């Protein structure tokens, strides 16, 4: 059913016409509830939590994966290089922590913290906190950081923000431009006019959008940590991806010259069964996956399993404009508290 819905959203599947009498009223209800929730914070009827440090939201207006997490990792690395102390907060989608707010550490599992928070912590080592109420997560790490980055949360208006960054899937864009469930939109496209930066992940960026590419690194073995260039990965390859848009990963492999004997998509945030992946792995000499998949597989990984890290890359001048803006806001906070 999920695949049919995505085809309705992004490919104009004829089932959309059949389901329109059901989906259209639900989209109207979704839009009304979404607008009212936002208006309550804009009007002052509800007060958002305002931290003592700047908040940078990295989100989107569509459901599904657009490449937000690589942007968060990129921001963290750039801000650390500039001498700042960033921290990250997340809802921890699909996970159940033993308590909230939850501070991610080296022993945290994806079942406790969620896929993205564990990935971000392992890649960057900065404080990462998880809570469905993002304000609680912020308060947990606020004393130890000078910039907060939220992985997703554009529509989480209970947390005040200083800079909003929207990541756009450059290939699929906004589909049929209808609200959930008739289309993929969490908010209307007019919301894009209010954000600070638009980052276009792949495809053809439009005016005002910063072009971004996800650049793959070497494959890394889940068991040994060995690094291997794509050209050296000899033998039949089985590929799997449990991300928002699995074809993006499979296309990346083809660009690297790898033609998998099998490409197995999984639902985003799906928990993997060890036996299932072992059977999948047995259909080739290597099993390759995304870094997001790998954080869920380390405890039962096999010696022939590899993951492919990717890094966000943007034009130097436009990338600098994002980082410089965050630094400016950080300095404004510093001067106001002096």
């Amino acid at each position: 059913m999920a695949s049919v819905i995505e085809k309705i959203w992004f490919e104009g599947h004829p089932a959309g016409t059949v389901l329109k009498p059901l989906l259209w009223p639900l989209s109207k209800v979704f839009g009304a509830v979404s607008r009212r929730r936002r208006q309550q914070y804009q009007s002052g009827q509800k007060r958002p939590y305002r931290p003592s440090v700047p908040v940078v939201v990295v989100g989107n207006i569509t459901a599904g994966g657009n490449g937000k997490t690589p942007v968060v990792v990129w921001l963290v690395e750039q801000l650390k290089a500039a001498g700042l102390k960033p921290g990250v907060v997340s809802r921890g989608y699909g996970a159940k922590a033993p308590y909230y707010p939850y501070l991610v550490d080296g022993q945290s599992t994806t079942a406790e913290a969620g896929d993205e928070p564990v990935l971000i912590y392992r890649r960057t080592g900065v404080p990462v906190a998880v809570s469905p109420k993002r304000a609680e997560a912020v308060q947990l790490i606020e004393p130890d950081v000078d910039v907060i980055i939220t992985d997703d949360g554009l529509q989480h208006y209970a947390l005040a923000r200083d800079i909003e960054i929207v990541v756009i899937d450059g290939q699929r864009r906004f589909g049929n431009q209808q609200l959930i469930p008739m289309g993929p939109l969490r908010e209307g496209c007019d919301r894009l006019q209010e954000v600070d930066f638009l980052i276009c992940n792949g495809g053809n960026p439009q005016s005002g959008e910063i072009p971004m590419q996800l650049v793959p690194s070497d494959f890394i073995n889940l068991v040994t940590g060995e690094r291997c260039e794509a050209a050296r990965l000899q033998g039949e390859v089985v590929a799997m991806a449990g991300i928002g848009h699995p074809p993006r990963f499979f296309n990346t492999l083809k660009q690297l010259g790898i033609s998998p004997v099998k490409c197995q998509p999984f639902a985003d945030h799906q928990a993997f069964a060890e036996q299932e992946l072992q059977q999948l792995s047995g259909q080739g000499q290597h099993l390759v996956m995304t870094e997001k998949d790998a954080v869920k597989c380390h405890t039962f990984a096999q010696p022939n399993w590899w993951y492919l890290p990717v890094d966000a890359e943007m034009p130097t001048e436009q990338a600098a404009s994002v980082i410089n803006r965050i630094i400016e806001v950080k300095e404004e906070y510093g001067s106001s508290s002096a």
Side-chain angles (χ1 to χ4, degrees):
M1 182 62 183
S3 62
V4 172
I5 289 294
E6 288 214 349
K7 288 180 179 179
I8 292 172
W9 289 355
F10 297 106
E11 301 174 18
H13 193 284
T17 302
V18 177
L19 295 175
K20 183 176 180 180
L22 171 64
L23 300 180
W24 184 80
L26 294 175
S27 292
K28 290 296 183 181
V29 172
F30 177 89
V33 172
S34 177
R35 286 190 298 272
R36 174 164 175 75
R37 183 171 62 246
R38 187 177 183 214
Q39 289 168 357
Q40 287 176 328
Y41 286 100
Q42 288 181 322
S43 67
Q45 183 178 349
K46 290 186 176 181
R47 296 182 62 85
Y49 176 68
R50 170 68 66 178
S52 59
V53 297
V55 173
V56 180
V57 170
V58 179
N60 57 20
I61 63 166
T62 56
N66 289 12
K68 295 185 299 295
T69 301
V71 173
V72 170
V73 171
W74 175 83
L75 280 173
V76 168
E77 292 173 343
Q78 294 293 316
L79 293 174
K80 287 173 66 177
L84 275 66
K85 298 186 296 181
V88 178
V89 299
S90 172
R91 180 175 180 266
Y93 183 86
K96 183 63 176 177
Y99 49 84
Y100 290 113
Y102 179 79
L103 186 65
V104 180
D105 60 29
Q107 306 304 314
S108 298
T109 66
T110 56
E112 294 170 331
D115 305 345
E116 291 89 349
V118 172
L119 186 159
I120 293 167
Y121 178 80
R122 291 184 178 178
R123 276 288 292 266
T124 68
V126 302
V128 178
V130 173
S131 178
K133 297 180 180 178
R134 286 179 175 84
E136 294 181 350
V138 168
Q139 291 169 357
L140 183 63
I141 63 173
E142 193 174 342
D144 304 313
V145 303
D146 52 23
V147 177
I148 296 284
I149 301 170
T150 78
D151 183 23
D152 208 358
L154 185 68
Q155 291 78 32
H156 188 76
Y157 295 110
L159 178 63
R161 69 284 308 270
D162 300 277
I163 296 175
E164 294 181 326
I165 300 173
V166 164
V167 183
I168 300 167
D169 184 327
Q171 296 291 340
R172 301 193 297 173
R173 305 282 309 174
F174 310 108
N176 61 13
Q177 299 192 22
Q178 300 294 319
L179 293 172
I180 294 171
M182 190 171 175
L185 297 186
R186 299 172 174 180
E187 295 182 281
C189 288
D190 55 345
R191 178 71 171 88
L192 299 177
Q193 300 174 13
E194 304 174 10
V195 305
D196 298 275
F197 297 100
L198 300 172
I199 294 178
C200 182
N201 178 14
N204 297 310
Q206 297 186 3
S207 176
E209 297 176 359
I210 300 174
M212 180 188 89
Q213 298 293 329
L214 294 178
V215 180
S217 182
D218 293 337
F219 287 95
I220 298 178
N221 189 278
L222 271 74
V223 174
T224 66
E226 174 191 355
R227 302 183 74 93
C228 179
E229 297 178 0
R232 291 179 47 233
L233 199 64
Q234 302 297 323
E236 293 184 334
V237 169
V238 175
M240 57 169 278
I243 57 178
H245 187 49
R248 183 184 294 124
F249 177 65
F250 302 143
N251 290 336
T252 298
L253 295 178
K254 293 177 182 178
Q255 293 168 7
L256 292 173
I258 295 175
S259 299
V261 295
K262 182 180 180 63
C263 291
Q264 178 62 58
F266 290 96
D268 196 12
H269 300 285
Q270 179 172 330
F272 299 130
E274 178 178 356
Q275 184 177 3
E276 180 181 21
L277 295 193
Q278 287 179 348
Q279 291 175 347
L280 183 63
S281 173
Q283 298 180 43
Q285 292 171 272
H286 302 284
L287 177 65
V288 299
M289 62 188 71
T290 71
E291 186 175 14
K292 181 176 169 180
D293 298 318
V295 296
K296 294 185 282 191
C297 299
H298 280 286
T299 57
F300 54 82
Q302 300 299 306
N304 63 332
W305 293 11
W306 305 80
Y307 71 90
L308 183 65
V310 294
D311 294 301
E313 286 193 2
M314 291 167 250
T316 302
E317 186 174 339
Q318 290 168 296
S321 69
V322 177
I323 301 304
N324 289 339
R325 176 60 184 144
I326 296 173
I327 293 173
E328 288 173 2
V329 174
K330 161 64 174 61
E331 291 174 346
E332 290 170 5
Y333 268 74
S335 60
S336 65
S337 62

